[in-house]
Amino acid sequence: MMEIDSVERHLFLEGIFLRYGYDFRQYAEASLNRRLAGLLGHYQKKNLLELLPMVLSSPGVFKEVLPTLTVGTSEFFRDPMFFKSLKELIFPVLETYPSLNIWVAGCSTGEEVMSLAVLLKEAGLLRRSTIYATDINPLSLKQAREGIYDVNELKHFARNYTQSGGTETPTQYFTVEYGLARFHQDLRENVVFSDHNLVTDSVFCEAHLILCRNVLIYFSRDLQNRVFDLFTKSLASRCFLGIGSKESLRFSDAFANYEEASARQNIYRLRAPAVVTRRGP
């Protein structure tokens, strides 16, 4: 892999932030260096200072660069036991609310959103739910909004769906034509797809469940703390946060605000605010 100079990396990311408002400056160094090296190879540049003028002078080039800098890996019912825990432990609590706001942060191309929508439908919760699916990458959001995938991406769908607690025939949720699978409109009609930057944007809804899985591993510790603070401010009292299997809330500044709803599956519940009682004179 091409070696990335730390000073050049700083200048490159600072330039992107100042020109376009996308902040990658606190992403984990090792992962970011791999992606930056890939960009240099793609554009046949010796270093980032050669690439930077192209990116700053052309929004079109920046749109080409952006997907490489962001994280776009997803899978239907990824980690099936996580979804099984949602269904068995969390949904019974959520069904006590008359309406639900669910935020899938870093939704990528939408596989997790569709997986969640399927289980919500089977639990009778989808029609009273609004799912806010957000990502920094406009190309990923476009595919997520369309709900169309190559059939090869569904090769583990049935197995993962069954392991996650699905109870119906999985193929009833999409149609296949010319090698493409399109998820049915009823799974997408309560989903709001929107651009949102976890690094720079703020609270936009009060959520009963937030999923942000396999995104935080690419962030530095300081940036993780910033995002956890954002989630804490976004959650309704006594509601839930789910993160990835390789991620942890335990060592963050926000951990004291949560209790473990499922330690094995990294699902946390926001503690109720402390009640301050006044003492008489």
Side-chain angles (χ1 to χ4, degrees):
M1 183 182 75
M2 185 178 300
E3 186 173 349
I4 301 298
D5 182 84
S6 60
V7 174
E8 292 179 4
R9 182 182 63 243
H10 171 78
L11 293 173
F12 185 79
L13 299 179
E14 189 73 22
I16 287 176
F17 174 66
L18 293 174
R19 177 58 57 85
Y20 299 107
Y22 288 84
D23 193 351
F24 301 101
R25 295 174 297 177
Q26 295 189 65
Y27 276 41
E29 183 177 305
S31 172
L32 189 58
N33 282 350
R34 287 193 296 270
R35 285 176 272 165
L36 291 172
L39 284 175
L40 292 179
H42 176 75
Y43 288 100
Q44 297 183 338
K45 300 296 182 182
K46 295 179 181 179
N47 55 61
L48 292 172
L49 296 184
E50 286 188 2
L51 180 59
L52 182 58
M54 289 178 55
V55 175
L56 297 184
S57 62
S58 172
V61 172
F62 175 67
K63 287 182 179 180
E64 294 175 355
V65 167
L66 182 60
T68 301
L69 295 178
T70 58
V71 180
T73 301
S74 189
E75 180 183 323
F76 291 101
F77 296 99
R78 183 175 184 175
D79 303 320
M81 292 302 102
F82 175 87
F83 285 94
K84 188 175 180 65
S85 294
L86 282 184
K87 180 174 181 177
E88 296 179 351
L89 301 177
I90 309 307
F91 284 7
V93 179
L94 296 183
E95 70 181 8
T96 65
Y97 292 88
S99 61
L100 296 170
N101 287 332
I102 300 174
W103 180 13
V104 182
C107 71
S108 188
T109 46
E111 288 88 341
E112 186 167 65
V113 177
M114 289 297 96
S115 302
L116 178 64
V118 165
L119 292 189
L120 285 169
K121 181 176 181 178
E122 293 183 3
L125 296 175
L126 182 59
R127 295 191 66 175
R128 54 172 145 145
S129 300
T130 300
I131 303 174
Y132 296 93
T134 67
D135 202 88
I136 194 177
N137 187 337
L139 296 179
S140 294
L141 281 172
K142 181 178 184 295
Q143 180 175 350
R145 188 178 290 111
E146 293 172 346
I148 301 174
Y149 303 89
D150 190 296
V151 291
N152 292 324
E153 297 180 36
L154 275 71
K155 58 184 178 181
H156 301 308
F157 184 98
R159 181 195 64 193
N160 289 354
Y161 165 81
T162 301
Q163 291 179 355
S164 69
T167 57
E168 304 295 333
T169 304
T171 53
Q172 71 176 296
Y173 294 113
F174 54 85
T175 57
V176 176
E177 189 174 6
Y178 301 113
L180 297 175
R182 179 192 291 270
F183 279 79
H184 295 164
Q185 178 62 30
D186 67 327
L187 295 174
R188 295 180 282 124
E189 60 187 10
N190 286 7
V191 183
V192 178
F193 293 98
S194 179
D195 177 89
H196 184 275
N197 190 331
L198 289 172
V199 180
T200 58
D201 292 340
S202 58
V203 174
F204 67 93
C205 76
E206 183 179 61
H208 301 91
L209 171 65
I210 298 176
L211 301 186
C212 184
R213 304 177 64 238
N214 308 301
V215 174
L216 297 170
I217 53 175
Y218 298 100
F219 292 178
S220 69
R221 179 63 58 83
D222 287 343
L223 188 51
Q224 288 179 12
N225 281 327
R226 193 270 181 198
V227 174
F228 282 136
D229 181 63
L230 172 64
F231 292 156
T232 301
K233 292 175 179 176
S234 300
L235 278 173
S237 178
R238 300 292 291 151
C239 286
F240 301 93
L241 168 66
I243 60 177
S245 60
K246 300 294 192 298
E247 298 163 338
S248 177
L249 184 65
R250 180 174 294 276
F251 302 106
S252 73
D253 295 343
F255 181 66
N257 298 316
Y258 292 85
E259 59 191 45
E260 292 175 325
S262 174
R264 178 169 294 183
Q265 300 304 326
N266 272 353
I267 303 174
Y268 300 88
R269 189 173 193 180
L270 186 65
R271 297 181 187 274
V275 177
V276 179
T277 58
R278 292 181 177 272
R279 295 186 177 181

